[in-house]
Amino acid sequence: MAGLDKNADFSGKTKSATTSSFFNRSLTIHGRTVVDSSPKSHNLNPSLNRTTSITKFYTPVESMGSSLKGKVKNLCRLFESSKPVKPASAEIPQKQKSGKSLLPESRISPFSSLNNSVIRLPGTEDRIVVYFTSLRGIRRTYEDCYAVRMIFRGFRVWIDERDVSMDIAYRKELQIAMGEKSVSLPQVFIMGKYVGGADVIKSLFEIGELAKILKEFPMRQPGFVCHCCGDIRFVPCSNCSGSKKLFDEDEDRLKRCPDCNENGLIRCPHCSS
């Protein structure tokens, strides 16, 4: 009987548990769904509403994807429009069919560009003149000047290098020859005729035409360096010792030295003429 009473008590407890809404999970879930479906759920805080937070999170991603797709399509159209159109067989010139080069005449013959040059530098018909600067204030200009000088030195030909930063007379001379006040550096003259700047010299060197032009000039000994100036092309003035001043005994005052430039230098008598 005691066992039955215990069973009865246990069954009673289970019945009371099933009837209570606190322990019944189905009723609890049902009660929560009823609360969520009630119109009061719309009055909750938007931060606690999962549907609104999810839509806010995914909406900008979708718009971002559509904008990226549009940008990609625009880029594809841009590159497709910039593709070169292949010429038809009838438009191909005869020189290309025969296998000959299509380079312009000025690049085929090395001396045609020199003969067609209008700018001349008088008194330099027997040499190569390079106007450059040794100052490193503008990096691109210095690198171009250095590259052109190294190209000519690689052929071991003598060059009349005229540094406009060492003598202002060279700058005025170049401006008169070019007919302009603002002239970029470097500038090259071969046999008294204007050739061009760094881009022209580099292109002629790459296609092998510069070597044909320089065959007309004698070559120096390998590693030759002027023992007087060290290939700087300038030495201190021997008249004033680089001070640019001389004492006039007759007038008893200092005068400007007439032999040197503004830096108290003169051209090297051994390697510059």
Side-chain angles (χ1 to χ4, degrees):
M1 294 297 291
L4 292 173
D5 294 335
K6 290 179 180 179
N7 293 334
D9 294 336
F10 179 78
S11 63
K13 289 179 181 180
T14 54
K15 287 180 182 179
S16 63
T18 53
T19 54
S20 64
S21 61
F22 182 78
F23 292 100
N24 192 350
R25 295 178 64 186
S26 62
L27 289 176
T28 305
I29 295 171
H30 180 70
R32 289 175 68 180
T33 54
V34 170
V35 172
D36 293 337
S37 61
S38 63
K40 294 180 181 180
S41 62
H42 297 287
N43 298 326
L44 294 175
N45 192 352
S47 61
L48 299 177
N49 194 350
R50 297 179 64 185
T51 58
T52 57
S53 62
I54 290 172
T55 54
K56 287 182 181 180
F57 179 77
Y58 284 102
T59 302
V61 175
E62 294 176 357
S63 61
M64 185 185 299
S66 61
S67 63
L68 288 175
K69 289 181 180 179
K71 291 181 180 180
V72 170
K73 289 182 179 179
N74 293 332
L75 288 174
C76 293
R77 292 173 184 173
L78 178 62
F79 284 106
E80 287 176 357
S81 60
S82 62
K83 289 182 179 179
V85 181
K86 295 182 179 180
S89 59
E91 297 177 357
I92 299 176
Q94 296 296 328
K95 288 186 179 181
Q96 187 173 357
K97 290 183 179 180
S98 61
K100 295 182 180 180
S101 177
L102 294 178
L103 292 174
E105 295 296 332
S106 60
R107 298 188 70 180
I108 293 174
S109 58
F111 297 100
S112 60
S113 60
L114 297 180
N115 295 330
N116 296 330
S117 177
V118 180
I119 303 174
R120 303 297 178 93
L121 190 64
T124 60
E125 289 79 10
D126 59 340
R127 66 187 68 181
I128 303 168
V129 180
V130 179
Y131 290 93
F132 72 102
T133 179
S134 58
L135 297 180
R136 304 191 182 190
I138 302 177
R139 182 175 180 180
R140 177 65 182 275
T141 302
Y142 173 77
E143 290 177 351
D144 289 342
C145 294
Y146 181 80
V148 169
R149 293 172 65 197
M150 290 302 105
I151 288 174
F152 282 108
R153 289 189 180 186
F155 290 100
R156 289 163 42 194
V157 293
W158 181 77
I159 314 166
D160 187 0
E161 297 180 344
R162 302 187 176 183
D163 192 350
V164 299
S165 61
M166 299 288 284
D167 195 345
I168 195 172
Y170 287 153
R171 183 182 302 173
K172 294 179 180 179
E173 183 180 273
L174 180 60
Q175 291 174 349
I176 292 172
M178 300 294 293
E180 298 177 1
K181 289 185 178 181
S182 59
V183 182
S184 61
L185 296 174
Q187 297 296 337
V188 180
F189 292 82
I190 299 179
M191 293 183 291
K193 301 172 184 177
Y194 175 68
V195 178
D199 296 335
V200 176
I201 299 301
K202 289 178 182 178
S203 62
L204 289 175
F205 173 69
E206 290 173 357
I207 64 178
E209 298 299 330
L210 186 61
K212 298 178 182 179
I213 299 175
L214 300 182
K215 285 181 179 180
E216 303 294 327
F217 297 93
M219 297 179 64
R220 300 193 302 176
Q221 294 295 329
F224 174 80
V225 178
C226 179
H227 67 278
C228 183
C229 67
D231 281 349
I232 300 177
R233 303 294 189 266
F234 288 95
V235 293
C237 178
S238 58
N239 191 19
C240 65
S241 301
S243 64
K244 303 182 293 182
K245 297 178 181 180
L246 291 175
F247 182 76
D248 191 352
E249 296 179 354
D250 297 335
E251 299 182 4
D252 195 19
R253 67 185 183 89
L254 293 174
K255 287 187 176 181
R256 176 69 166 82
C257 178
D259 297 336
C260 59
N261 59 12
E262 72 278 5
N263 295 316
L265 303 173
I266 59 173
R267 300 199 69 179
C268 178
H270 295 276
C271 64
S272 299
S273 58

